[in-house]
Amino acid sequence: MLRRHSLLSSTPKQVSLFFVSHFHSTLFTPSPKQVFQTHHRWWGYPRSFKPSFNPSPPFCRHKASTLQSGSSVEQIEDVEVADRDVWMKMKDEARFDVTVEPILSGYYNTSILSHKSLETALANHLAVKLSNASLPCSTLSDLFVTVLETDEAIMAAVKSDLIAVKERDPACLNLVHCFLNFKGFLACQAHRVAHKLWLQRRKVLAVMIQNRVSEVFAVDIHPGAKIGSGILLDHATGIVVGETAVIGNNVSILHSVTLGGTGKVSGDRHPKIGDGVLIGAGTCILGNIKVGEGAKIGAGSVVIKDVPPRTTVVGNPAKLVGGKNNPVKLDKIPSLTMDHTSHISDFYDYCV
């Protein structure tokens, strides 16, 4: 087993490789019922690096990510994360990254280390990404920081989204990696600002942000759409969400997903996605229909009817796995397990 002293005596390159493979930071304290498990143990920072937070206590706790028969999805316990803890952890991660890759010191300083809070860092980062020659970065940054610093609910959702990405996406190295590099996360936070402006009847400004997000991140979410917290937009390219769509909490959506209408119908015309839903890549969910809590939509499906809670649908048109009269009921929250194939392979006996 690799011991702590071997890490302390390693070269920077070795430290980097070790950190990437073994730094599976335990933001959550697993309970016996949790579906996700920590398979790697992190032995700590090198002795020369002094974190400014205490890594031992858990940052937050989840209730068991299982579904009880005959009940809806268990509500995920409120994330018990102090604002300072998440932000200070991100700054420590940034400092460590700079020790491994000094060439990024200017980038990390501008994006993370020079800021006093997560709000100002996020406002600046979004502004840099979305600005152009006719839309100055300073103008966007002032707009974003005003919204973020005055809306605690948005910032709580931002932190919940960060943790969701870190927990569910094995490609995510740490929180600061998600913050800086994951366009699904950034598109979602820009939408939260646009939605706030939409509710304030500043619709021209909200649609402008939607347009820039679509151009820069290839994610098109109408500012009128309502999105919960703990959201993972994995890869995110090609996601389209209509004006009257509603997405619940702890939902995971992959790339090329459309939550759209069925034509020129006006009014409430887009899907309503329940808590804990997993939507596979390339899925189209069309019309004012409901996808029940804890449901799973297989990749490439076209859904035009309501999906019962805790069931799986797949195909074009989508059909219930197990059949309409006796559908297979899921016992775990699919958006947390990110399990795309369970029961589907049993239902279909063909082999491509």
Side-chain angles (χ1 to χ4, degrees), residues 80-341:
E80 300 170 351
V81 183
D83 293 354
R84 178 176 172 82
D85 286 341
V86 169
W87 176 234
M88 294 308 296
K89 179 169 177 61
M90 286 178 59
K91 295 186 79 170
D92 283 327
E93 291 171 349
R95 293 187 187 100
F96 181 84
D97 285 353
V98 170
T99 65
V100 176
E101 292 290 352
I103 193 173
L104 295 177
S105 59
Y107 174 58
Y108 272 81
N109 184 67
T110 301
S111 303
I112 300 290
L113 298 175
S114 64
H115 293 278
K116 64 179 182 179
S117 67
L118 180 57
E119 290 85 343
T120 59
L122 180 57
N124 174 76
H125 195 48
L126 288 175
V128 169
K129 293 287 188 180
L130 301 179
S131 61
N132 59 23
S134 59
L135 192 61
C137 179
S138 58
T139 301
L140 283 178
S141 182
D142 291 343
L143 172 64
F144 290 149
V145 79
T146 299
V147 173
L148 296 175
E149 289 186 337
T150 57
D151 196 315
E152 294 181 359
I154 289 181
M155 290 310 302
V158 170
K159 290 186 281 288
S160 183
D161 292 349
L162 276 169
I163 294 170
V165 176
K166 177 62 186 70
E167 283 298 312
R168 300 176 210 165
D169 189 347
C172 183
L173 303 179
N174 51 37
L175 296 179
V176 77
H177 178 222
C178 169
F179 180 90
L180 293 176
N181 303 314
F182 278 42
K183 68 176 186 176
F185 167 79
L186 294 173
C188 188
Q189 309 326 312
H191 166 75
R192 297 190 188 283
V193 174
H195 182 65
K196 178 73 172 183
L197 297 171
W198 182 265
L199 295 178
Q200 295 174 342
R201 300 187 180 278
R202 303 176 71 181
K203 294 187 176 183
V204 173
L205 195 52
V207 171
M208 181 276 298
I209 294 174
Q210 174 200 3
N211 173 257
R212 289 299 298 148
V213 170
S214 178
E215 292 176 340
V216 174
F217 299 130
V219 177
D220 193 352
I221 307 176
H222 192 283
K226 299 177 182 177
I227 298 181
S229 61
I231 303 299
L232 168 61
L233 303 182
D234 197 0
H235 300 289
T237 301
I239 290 177
V240 177
V241 180
E243 177 184 2
T244 60
V246 178
I247 300 175
N249 298 321
N250 304 296
V251 172
S252 295
I253 301 176
L254 273 81
H255 49 284
S256 299
V257 166
T258 296
L259 305 182
T262 58
K264 296 180 66 176
V265 177
S266 60
D268 194 356
R269 60 196 183 278
H270 295 106
K272 311 298 182 282
I273 310 300
D275 297 345
V277 171
L278 172 61
I279 305 177
T283 293
C284 291
I285 306 177
L286 305 176
N288 185 13
I289 61 176
K290 295 181 180 179
V291 177
E293 296 178 332
K296 175 165 63 177
I297 315 297
S301 299
V302 177
V303 184
I304 56 177
K305 293 184 178 180
D306 290 351
V307 178
R310 300 190 292 120
T311 61
T312 301
V313 297
V314 65
N316 180 6
K319 297 181 180 180
L320 284 164
V321 170
K324 183 176 181 180
N325 296 325
N326 189 30
V328 174
K329 291 289 186 176
L330 301 175
D331 60 354
K332 297 177 181 178
I333 301 177
S335 67
L336 301 186
T337 65
M338 297 297 289
D339 181 354
H340 292 266
T341 60

Side-chain angles (χ1 to χ4, degrees), residues 2 6-7 9-21:
L2 185 61
S6 64
L7 172 62
S9 60
S10 302
T11 65
K13 182 176 181 180
Q14 291 171 325
V15 169
S16 176
L17 293 174
F18 175 86
F19 186 78
V20 170
S21 61

